[in-house]
Amino acid sequence: MKSAGSQPTASPIGENAPRIDARQKVTGAAVFADDIQFGDSLLHARIKRSPHPHALIRKIDTARARALPGVKAVVTGEDFPGHIGLYLQDRYIFCRDRVRYIGDPVAGVAAISEEIAQKALDLIDVD
Amino acid sequence: MALHEIHITINNEPEQVAVPANMTLMRMLREKLALTGTKNGCSAGECGACTVLLNGEPVNSCMVLAVECDGARIVTVEGLASEERLAPVQETILSEGGVQCGFCTPGILISAHALLQRNPNPGEDEIREALVGNLCRCTGYVRIIESVKKAARMQLPAG
């Protein structure tokens, strides 16, 4: 394209323009979110969810999950007393006294691998 | 898990990698060799985003174990361009608007490149056949197929 000056600037309308990121994308150089390299510092999170449509939570025992080697954190509703929500702030991050649908989050685990995080979920006892 | 030493040629470079027996070729490329041009789409051999050339044949690298590749030649999207020059199909996917989000592009490029190597002058049906295993969720198939046609025309007479 001509630079501004005595000549009129060419209009981009009707011109073919390659996408500005297409060259990176055709060479594999483009970095998508999943392509970011974290090395060994990356932790994997898993959420334990309710298998019941509605139930009271009497007790959550995370001791066995915390004791599993490679588990870095286990969190439950106890850790987050506040409410959240987009319009109505009426939900807990993790369920506290009861679950209200199948899939309601009950506890979360962060561990050094997906497999260990999953194993830790199975070691969380919910009564 | 016990590690296995394997020797492979990746994009014409010899590499020695220690991999667990359950690691797929796709994970080895992305996690051990940081060749993240090869994408992890479905991990189930459905989407084709992880397609690479294994001894010249396109395969879903999520369906191949790394240990099976001892002694093999692998080509990924990073290896299609020669020095400063893009492969014809890279050039035309770029110029014809065959890239949208770009996630399926590496797999499409490998499948199309393999097609053009075994059949330099494919018809539209043959191009579609070669790309059946590569899903594009942007649904930009028409421009991708036009790109492959143009790449075939480009490399035919002059070479």
Side-chain angles (χ1 to χ4, degrees):
Chain A
M1 208 199 287
K2 299 267 165 38
S3 59
S6 57
Q7 302 234 329
T9 310
S11 167
I13 295 172
E15 295 289 317
N16 276 332
R19 300 177 81 90
I20 57 170
D21 55 359
R23 184 164 289 269
Q24 282 107 291
K25 286 173 175 177
V26 297
T27 55
V31 176
F32 290 61
D34 193 30
D35 300 340
I36 300 168
Q37 302 286 315
F38 293 96
D40 291 339
S41 60
L42 181 68
L43 295 182
H44 299 262
R46 286 273 164 157
I47 307 281
K48 191 174 183 78
R49 296 177 180 280
S50 166
H52 306 296
H54 200 134
L56 293 176
I57 298 175
R58 283 192 295 229
K59 188 170 183 292
I60 302 177
D61 186 356
T62 60
R64 287 201 298 152
R66 284 178 203 277
L68 188 69
V71 172
K72 298 291 182 185
V74 181
V75 292
T76 67
E78 289 290 298
D79 301 304
F80 303 105
H83 285 104
I84 54 162
L86 184 53
Y87 301 111
L88 275 180
Q89 314 237 310
D90 62 348
R91 303 182 49 220
Y92 294 120
I93 294 176
F94 292 103
C95 298
R96 289 169 63 82
D97 56 336
R98 67 176 69 212
V99 295
R100 292 181 171 82
Y101 61 92
I102 294 174
D104 219 356
V106 174
V109 168
I112 57 171
S113 78
E114 257 180 85
E115 290 79 9
I116 294 173
Q118 182 61 47
K119 205 175 277 177
L121 286 193
D122 300 337
L123 293 176
I124 297 174
D125 298 309
V126 181
D127 185 18
Chain B
M1 190 172 293
L3 295 179
H4 301 262
E5 286 287 330
I6 62 168
H7 296 264
I8 42 174
T9 306
I10 295 201
N11 301 332
N12 286 325
E13 297 285 334
E15 288 278 359
Q16 183 177 346
V17 200
V19 293
N22 68 349
M23 180 172 263
T24 61
L25 174 58
M26 182 267 289
R27 281 189 53 211
M28 180 190 79
L29 293 170
R30 293 180 54 81
E31 296 171 23
K32 295 274 180 185
L33 299 170
L35 290 170
T36 56
T38 301
K39 300 301 175 201
N40 174 14
C42 66
S43 297
E46 300 280 352
C47 75
C50 66
T51 308
V52 300
L53 295 182
L54 172 59
N55 293 326
E57 286 290 314
V59 296
N60 286 323
S61 62
C62 70
M63 294 279 96
V64 178
L65 290 173
V67 287
E68 292 179 83
C69 299
D70 197 10
R73 280 178 298 115
I74 312 282
V75 177
T76 70
V77 67
E78 289 92 342
L80 285 184
S82 57
E83 286 164 31
E84 292 307 297
R85 197 149 159 236
L86 295 178
V89 68
Q90 284 176 304
E91 202 65 73
T92 54
I93 281 208
L94 183 67
S95 64
E96 298 304 295
V99 173
Q100 290 184 52
C101 86
F103 198 84
C104 72
T105 306
I108 300 259
L109 286 167
I110 294 283
S111 294
H113 186 78
L115 168 70
L116 293 178
Q117 289 207 317
R118 66 176 183 269
N119 179 0
N121 190 20
E124 177 159 336
D125 286 352
E126 290 166 305
I127 295 173
R128 288 179 179 270
E129 174 87 35
L131 296 179
V132 283
N134 294 91
L135 302 185
C136 167
R137 294 325 276 151
C138 304
T139 70
Y141 294 107
V142 169
R143 281 173 175 251
I144 290 167
I145 286 156
E146 290 305 316
S147 308
V148 180
K149 282 188 201 166
K150 192 170 173 193
R153 285 200 300 274
M154 224 172 91
Q155 65 180 183
L156 257 189

